[in-house]
Amino acid sequence: MSTYQVAALGALGDPTRRAIFELLAGRPRAVGELANELPVSRPAVSQHLKVLKEAGLVTDQAEGTRRRYRVDQRGVAALRGYLDELWDSALAAFAAEVENTETETEEKDR
């Protein structure tokens, strides 16, 4: 697992950051919009967005006097790659265990 993937998973470990990320997955939003939907202040939302941005999970763009945040697809792709690798390893280990158990059962039946 890369340092980048560790940071991304760590960032999503916080329930508030995960809620912000999930809201942004629906559509881009400004800090005020996010704060209106969460039980935290605008400064707190800004701090959480900073962590998500540093983890590569969100990006922002200036729109007039505001910044709109959106999910960074590159960060999501990197996380998905990690989870796919993890899932593939887990499935391979499970398949090997099943095969081993079947072989042991067949040997006992002989």
Side-chain angles (χ1 to χ4, degrees):
M1 179 184 314
S2 72
T3 304
Y4 173 79
Q5 292 165 330
V6 169
L9 286 173
L12 292 175
D14 179 89
T16 302
R17 282 195 289 273
R18 195 167 46 254
I20 290 169
F21 183 78
E22 289 170 1
L23 287 170
L24 292 175
R27 66 177 171 84
R29 298 170 194 248
V31 172
E33 293 175 77
L34 291 165
N36 288 340
E37 297 195 39
L38 298 165
V40 294
S41 66
R42 285 180 187 215
V45 169
S46 293
Q47 288 297 339
H48 286 297
L49 286 166
K50 179 181 176 187
V51 172
L52 289 168
K53 187 174 178 181
E54 289 171 353
L57 293 172
V58 301
T59 185
D60 63 329
Q61 182 177 358
E63 290 184 3
T65 59
R66 309 190 300 175
R67 300 199 76 71
R68 292 187 79 63
Y69 291 84
R70 64 184 36 86
V71 169
D72 187 335
Q73 295 303 320
R74 294 169 298 179
V76 173
L79 268 182
R80 173 142 190 199
Y82 165 71
L83 293 172
D84 285 346
E85 289 174 20
L86 185 66
W87 183 246
D88 289 346
S89 294
L91 286 176
F94 178 74
E97 185 61 30
V98 167
E99 186 175 314
N100 186 37
T101 301
E102 288 173 354
T103 302
E104 289 175 359
T105 302
E106 289 172 3
E107 289 175 359
K108 286 180 183 178
D109 290 342
R110 288 183 193 176

